[in-house]
Amino acid sequence: MPRITEDVYYIPGQDAFMPDAHAYVLGKPSSQNLSLIDAGLIGKGGYKIQSIQKEGIELSAIKRIIMTHTHLDHIGCLAEILKQLPWAELWMHQLEADLLEQGDERTVYGMEMFKGMCQLQFGLKPGAFKFQVNRKLQGGETLDLGDTLWEVIHIPGHSMGSIGLYHRPMKILIPGDVVYADYAIGRFDLFSADSSELKKSLMRLAELEVDFLLPGHNQIVKGLPKGYILKTAHQWESYLR
Ligand SMILES: [Zn+2]
Ligand SMILES: [Zn+2]
């Protein structure tokens, strides 16, 4: 589990026949108040827990799991992980929290056809993704995560409750699936996606100074070129209306 900075660990996703999201652990290790960002695909919780333990981090130090959004490749193994961390709180944006609490899985699967396919493939029953959420985020909060401050930015478009986490002093951005390396962006055809919102969200992120880009998939980037997100937004502009 590579360490990105003193206070950020990276657990790379292990893509199978479907993508598995990267997870990150935030907070000063000495604080014993760490946060896991995202879970991953179904069946991909075990190695993430092991990666954390291999770093010498006690599981009891993980106090919460914060979801960038609730697509299956991010929330699939949340239940597996929570089983090992039953004390951990679950935080996410209110819009997706409200759905999950009602057992509404439309955001999780994104589309009906995919839902049927995944339920067959993984033996999932309806209601597999009903969770109680301890803290519903709106965007605009500054969170003290283990003696490091992270700003919550609501960046809908890929999904309606997508959030980014931004550490201003070190210029670290965790944008979920909104923007990736190589001028790629998240898809905007699934349930609750909205291309014009995605464009606005990209423009919002483009205002930030970002040195570390730590997305939900693919490469992570240190030393992000200046203007990278703006350039990405412009490249996609004609598709985002
Ligand atoms: Zn996604
Ligand atoms: Zn994803």
Side-chain angles (χ1 to χ4, degrees), residues 90-124:
L90 179 59
W91 296 8
M92 66 179 71
H93 193 275
Q94 183 191 347
L95 289 172
E96 292 182 27
D98 286 347
L99 291 182
L100 287 186
E101 287 189 338
Q102 293 159 22
D104 184 333
E105 298 174 322
R106 283 179 294 173
T107 303
V108 174
Y109 292 109
M111 61 170 88
E112 275 301 310
M113 185 192 78
F114 190 62
K115 176 178 167 181
M117 194 187 95
C118 290
Q119 286 184 336
L120 263 178
Q121 175 73 36
F122 295 110
L124 293 166

Short mmCIF file of all heavy atoms in Angstrom, two decimals, residues 90-124:
data_model
loop_
_atom_site.label_atom_id
_atom_site.label_comp_id
_atom_site.label_asym_id
_atom_site.label_seq_id
_atom_site.Cartn_x
_atom_site.Cartn_y
_atom_site.Cartn_z
N LEU A 90 -20.41 5.66 8.49
CA LEU A 90 -20.52 5.77 7.04
C LEU A 90 -20.98 7.18 6.70
O LEU A 90 -22.01 7.64 7.18
CB LEU A 90 -21.53 4.73 6.54
CG LEU A 90 -21.79 4.70 5.04
CD1 LEU A 90 -20.52 4.42 4.26
CD2 LEU A 90 -22.86 3.64 4.72
N TRP A 91 -20.15 7.85 5.90
CA TRP A 91 -20.46 9.23 5.50
C TRP A 91 -20.52 9.30 3.98
O TRP A 91 -19.69 8.70 3.28
CB TRP A 91 -19.36 10.20 5.95
CG TRP A 91 -19.18 10.35 7.43
CD1 TRP A 91 -19.77 9.63 8.43
CD2 TRP A 91 -18.31 11.29 8.09
NE1 TRP A 91 -19.33 10.06 9.65
CE2 TRP A 91 -18.43 11.07 9.48
CE3 TRP A 91 -17.45 12.29 7.64
CZ2 TRP A 91 -17.72 11.83 10.42
CZ3 TRP A 91 -16.74 13.04 8.57
CH2 TRP A 91 -16.89 12.82 9.95
N MET A 92 -21.46 10.06 3.49
CA MET A 92 -21.55 10.28 2.03
C MET A 92 -22.49 11.47 1.79
O MET A 92 -23.11 11.99 2.72
CB MET A 92 -22.09 9.03 1.33
CG MET A 92 -23.53 8.71 1.68
SD MET A 92 -24.17 7.26 0.82
CE MET A 92 -23.26 5.95 1.63
N HIS A 93 -22.60 11.86 0.53
CA HIS A 93 -23.50 12.97 0.21
C HIS A 93 -24.95 12.58 0.48
O HIS A 93 -25.36 11.44 0.23
CB HIS A 93 -23.35 13.40 -1.26
CG HIS A 93 -24.02 14.71 -1.52
ND1 HIS A 93 -25.36 14.82 -1.81
CD2 HIS A 93 -23.54 15.98 -1.47
CE1 HIS A 93 -25.67 16.10 -1.94
NE2 HIS A 93 -24.59 16.83 -1.74
N GLN A 94 -25.70 13.55 0.93
CA GLN A 94 -27.09 13.30 1.32
C GLN A 94 -27.93 12.70 0.19
O GLN A 94 -28.77 11.82 0.43
CB GLN A 94 -27.72 14.61 1.78
CG GLN A 94 -29.14 14.40 2.25
CD GLN A 94 -29.90 15.69 2.46
OE1 GLN A 94 -29.30 16.77 2.49
NE2 GLN A 94 -31.19 15.57 2.61
N LEU A 95 -27.72 13.16 -1.03
CA LEU A 95 -28.59 12.72 -2.13
C LEU A 95 -28.52 11.21 -2.34
O LEU A 95 -29.53 10.56 -2.59
CB LEU A 95 -28.23 13.45 -3.42
CG LEU A 95 -28.59 14.93 -3.47
CD1 LEU A 95 -28.01 15.58 -4.73
CD2 LEU A 95 -30.11 15.10 -3.42
N GLU A 96 -27.32 10.65 -2.22
CA GLU A 96 -27.20 9.20 -2.40
C GLU A 96 -27.48 8.46 -1.09
O GLU A 96 -27.99 7.34 -1.09
CB GLU A 96 -25.84 8.85 -3.02
CG GLU A 96 -25.81 9.38 -4.46
CD GLU A 96 -24.54 9.09 -5.25
OE1 GLU A 96 -23.84 8.10 -4.98
OE2 GLU A 96 -24.27 9.88 -6.18
N ALA A 97 -27.20 9.11 0.03
CA ALA A 97 -27.52 8.51 1.34
C ALA A 97 -29.02 8.26 1.47
O ALA A 97 -29.45 7.20 1.90
CB ALA A 97 -27.05 9.43 2.46
N ASP A 98 -29.82 9.26 1.07
CA ASP A 98 -31.27 9.13 1.20
C ASP A 98 -31.78 7.93 0.39
O ASP A 98 -32.67 7.21 0.83
CB ASP A 98 -31.97 10.41 0.73
CG ASP A 98 -31.81 11.55 1.74
OD1 ASP A 98 -31.39 11.28 2.88
OD2 ASP A 98 -32.09 12.72 1.38
N LEU A 99 -31.21 7.72 -0.80
CA LEU A 99 -31.62 6.57 -1.61
C LEU A 99 -31.25 5.26 -0.93
O LEU A 99 -32.08 4.35 -0.82
CB LEU A 99 -30.96 6.63 -2.99
CG LEU A 99 -31.40 7.74 -3.94
CD1 LEU A 99 -30.67 7.60 -5.28
CD2 LEU A 99 -32.91 7.70 -4.17
N LEU A 100 -30.00 5.16 -0.48
CA LEU A 100 -29.54 3.89 0.12
C LEU A 100 -30.33 3.54 1.36
O LEU A 100 -30.63 2.38 1.61
CB LEU A 100 -28.06 3.98 0.48
CG LEU A 100 -27.06 3.96 -0.67
CD1 LEU A 100 -25.65 3.91 -0.10
CD2 LEU A 100 -27.29 2.81 -1.62
N GLU A 101 -30.66 4.55 2.14
CA GLU A 101 -31.40 4.26 3.38
C GLU A 101 -32.78 3.71 3.08
O GLU A 101 -33.34 2.96 3.87
CB GLU A 101 -31.51 5.54 4.23
CG GLU A 101 -30.16 5.88 4.87
CD GLU A 101 -30.23 7.00 5.88
OE1 GLU A 101 -31.18 7.82 5.84
OE2 GLU A 101 -29.32 7.06 6.72
N GLN A 102 -33.31 4.09 1.91
CA GLN A 102 -34.63 3.56 1.51
C GLN A 102 -34.49 2.25 0.74
O GLN A 102 -35.49 1.71 0.26
CB GLN A 102 -35.34 4.56 0.61
CG GLN A 102 -35.75 5.85 1.29
CD GLN A 102 -35.96 6.98 0.28
OE1 GLN A 102 -36.19 6.74 -0.90
NE2 GLN A 102 -35.87 8.21 0.75
N GLY A 103 -33.26 1.79 0.55
CA GLY A 103 -33.06 0.56 -0.23
C GLY A 103 -33.22 0.79 -1.72
O GLY A 103 -33.45 -0.15 -2.48
N ASP A 104 -33.12 2.04 -2.14
CA ASP A 104 -33.21 2.37 -3.56
C ASP A 104 -31.81 2.20 -4.17
O ASP A 104 -30.90 2.95 -3.84
CB ASP A 104 -33.71 3.81 -3.71
CG ASP A 104 -33.92 4.22 -5.16
OD1 ASP A 104 -33.24 3.66 -6.05
OD2 ASP A 104 -34.76 5.12 -5.39
N GLU A 105 -31.66 1.21 -5.04
CA GLU A 105 -30.33 0.84 -5.55
C GLU A 105 -30.08 1.33 -6.96
O GLU A 105 -29.17 0.86 -7.64
CB GLU A 105 -30.18 -0.69 -5.48
CG GLU A 105 -30.27 -1.18 -4.04
CD GLU A 105 -30.27 -2.69 -3.90
OE1 GLU A 105 -30.88 -3.36 -4.76
OE2 GLU A 105 -29.67 -3.19 -2.94
N ARG A 106 -30.85 2.30 -7.39
CA ARG A 106 -30.68 2.75 -8.78
C ARG A 106 -29.31 3.37 -9.03
O ARG A 106 -28.73 3.17 -10.09
CB ARG A 106 -31.79 3.74 -9.17
CG ARG A 106 -33.11 3.03 -9.45
CD ARG A 106 -34.20 4.02 -9.79
NE ARG A 106 -34.51 4.88 -8.65
CZ ARG A 106 -35.33 5.93 -8.69
NH1 ARG A 106 -35.91 6.26 -9.82
NH2 ARG A 106 -35.57 6.65 -7.62
N THR A 107 -28.81 4.11 -8.06
CA THR A 107 -27.46 4.69 -8.26
C THR A 107 -26.40 3.60 -8.21
O THR A 107 -25.42 3.64 -8.96
CB THR A 107 -27.15 5.77 -7.22
OG1 THR A 107 -28.17 6.77 -7.29
CG2 THR A 107 -25.80 6.43 -7.48
N VAL A 108 -26.58 2.62 -7.34
CA VAL A 108 -25.58 1.55 -7.21
C VAL A 108 -25.38 0.86 -8.56
O VAL A 108 -24.24 0.68 -9.01
CB VAL A 108 -26.02 0.52 -6.15
CG1 VAL A 108 -25.05 -0.67 -6.12
CG2 VAL A 108 -26.12 1.17 -4.77
N TYR A 109 -26.46 0.48 -9.20
CA TYR A 109 -26.34 -0.29 -10.45
C TYR A 109 -26.28 0.60 -11.69
O TYR A 109 -25.79 0.15 -12.73
CB TYR A 109 -27.50 -1.28 -10.56
CG TYR A 109 -27.43 -2.38 -9.53
CD1 TYR A 109 -28.34 -2.43 -8.48
CD2 TYR A 109 -26.44 -3.36 -9.60
CE1 TYR A 109 -28.28 -3.43 -7.52
CE2 TYR A 109 -26.37 -4.37 -8.64
CZ TYR A 109 -27.30 -4.40 -7.62
OH TYR A 109 -27.23 -5.40 -6.67
N GLY A 110 -26.83 1.78 -11.59
CA GLY A 110 -26.72 2.71 -12.72
C GLY A 110 -27.70 2.47 -13.84
O GLY A 110 -28.19 3.43 -14.42
N MET A 111 -27.97 1.21 -14.17
CA MET A 111 -28.97 0.91 -15.20
C MET A 111 -29.55 -0.48 -14.97
O MET A 111 -28.90 -1.35 -14.41
CB MET A 111 -28.39 1.05 -16.60
CG MET A 111 -27.24 0.12 -16.92
SD MET A 111 -26.78 0.15 -18.65
CE MET A 111 -25.62 1.49 -18.70
N GLU A 112 -30.80 -0.65 -15.41
CA GLU A 112 -31.53 -1.89 -15.16
C GLU A 112 -30.81 -3.13 -15.68
O GLU A 112 -30.72 -4.15 -15.03
CB GLU A 112 -32.93 -1.81 -15.80
CG GLU A 112 -33.95 -1.12 -14.93
CD GLU A 112 -34.15 -1.80 -13.57
OE1 GLU A 112 -34.36 -3.03 -13.53
OE2 GLU A 112 -34.09 -1.09 -12.54
N MET A 113 -30.28 -3.01 -16.90
CA MET A 113 -29.66 -4.17 -17.52
C MET A 113 -28.44 -4.64 -16.71
O MET A 113 -28.21 -5.82 -16.50
CB MET A 113 -29.21 -3.79 -18.93
CG MET A 113 -28.66 -4.92 -19.74
SD MET A 113 -27.86 -4.26 -21.22
CE MET A 113 -26.31 -3.69 -20.53
N PHE A 114 -27.71 -3.66 -16.22
CA PHE A 114 -26.52 -3.94 -15.44
C PHE A 114 -26.89 -4.57 -14.10
O PHE A 114 -26.22 -5.48 -13.61
CB PHE A 114 -25.78 -2.62 -15.23
CG PHE A 114 -24.42 -2.78 -14.66
CD1 PHE A 114 -23.45 -3.48 -15.35
CD2 PHE A 114 -24.10 -2.23 -13.43
CE1 PHE A 114 -22.17 -3.64 -14.81
CE2 PHE A 114 -22.82 -2.38 -12.89
CZ PHE A 114 -21.87 -3.08 -13.58
N LYS A 115 -28.01 -4.11 -13.56
CA LYS A 115 -28.48 -4.65 -12.29
C LYS A 115 -28.75 -6.15 -12.41
O LYS A 115 -28.28 -6.95 -11.60
CB LYS A 115 -29.76 -3.91 -11.89
CG LYS A 115 -30.44 -4.41 -10.65
CD LYS A 115 -31.65 -3.53 -10.36
CE LYS A 115 -32.55 -4.15 -9.32
NZ LYS A 115 -33.72 -3.29 -9.08
N GLY A 116 -29.47 -6.52 -13.45
CA GLY A 116 -29.79 -7.93 -13.66
C GLY A 116 -28.52 -8.76 -13.82
O GLY A 116 -28.37 -9.83 -13.22
N MET A 117 -27.60 -8.22 -14.60
CA MET A 117 -26.35 -8.93 -14.88
C MET A 117 -25.55 -9.14 -13.58
O MET A 117 -25.05 -10.22 -13.30
CB MET A 117 -25.54 -8.09 -15.86
CG MET A 117 -24.39 -8.78 -16.51
SD MET A 117 -23.45 -7.55 -17.45
CE MET A 117 -22.21 -7.12 -16.26
N CYS A 118 -25.47 -8.07 -12.78
CA CYS A 118 -24.67 -8.16 -11.55
C CYS A 118 -25.33 -9.04 -10.51
O CYS A 118 -24.65 -9.78 -9.79
CB CYS A 118 -24.46 -6.78 -10.95
SG CYS A 118 -23.37 -5.79 -11.94
N GLN A 119 -26.65 -8.97 -10.44
CA GLN A 119 -27.33 -9.79 -9.44
C GLN A 119 -27.10 -11.26 -9.75
O GLN A 119 -26.87 -12.08 -8.85
CB GLN A 119 -28.82 -9.44 -9.38
CG GLN A 119 -29.03 -8.09 -8.68
CD GLN A 119 -30.47 -7.69 -8.50
OE1 GLN A 119 -31.35 -8.15 -9.24
NE2 GLN A 119 -30.75 -6.83 -7.55
N LEU A 120 -27.10 -11.59 -11.04
CA LEU A 120 -26.81 -12.97 -11.45
C LEU A 120 -25.36 -13.33 -11.16
O LEU A 120 -25.05 -14.35 -10.53
CB LEU A 120 -27.04 -13.11 -12.96
CG LEU A 120 -28.37 -13.67 -13.41
CD1 LEU A 120 -28.43 -13.68 -14.92
CD2 LEU A 120 -28.55 -15.09 -12.86
N GLN A 121 -24.47 -12.49 -11.62
CA GLN A 121 -23.03 -12.75 -11.52
C GLN A 121 -22.57 -12.91 -10.07
O GLN A 121 -21.80 -13.81 -9.75
CB GLN A 121 -22.29 -11.57 -12.16
CG GLN A 121 -20.78 -11.62 -12.03
CD GLN A 121 -20.16 -12.67 -12.93
OE1 GLN A 121 -20.64 -12.90 -14.04
NE2 GLN A 121 -19.13 -13.34 -12.45
N PHE A 122 -23.07 -12.04 -9.20
CA PHE A 122 -22.57 -12.03 -7.81
C PHE A 122 -23.56 -12.66 -6.83
O PHE A 122 -23.31 -12.67 -5.64
CB PHE A 122 -22.28 -10.59 -7.38
CG PHE A 122 -21.16 -9.92 -8.15
CD1 PHE A 122 -21.44 -8.89 -9.03
CD2 PHE A 122 -19.85 -10.32 -7.97
CE1 PHE A 122 -20.43 -8.27 -9.74
CE2 PHE A 122 -18.82 -9.69 -8.67
CZ PHE A 122 -19.11 -8.68 -9.56
N GLY A 123 -24.68 -13.13 -7.35
CA GLY A 123 -25.69 -13.69 -6.46
C GLY A 123 -26.26 -12.67 -5.49
O GLY A 123 -26.51 -12.97 -4.33
N LEU A 124 -26.42 -11.44 -5.96
CA LEU A 124 -26.91 -10.37 -5.09
C LEU A 124 -28.43 -10.35 -5.07
O LEU A 124 -29.07 -10.53 -6.11
CB LEU A 124 -26.42 -9.01 -5.60
CG LEU A 124 -24.93 -8.78 -5.50
CD1 LEU A 124 -24.54 -7.56 -6.34
CD2 LEU A 124 -24.52 -8.59 -4.06
#
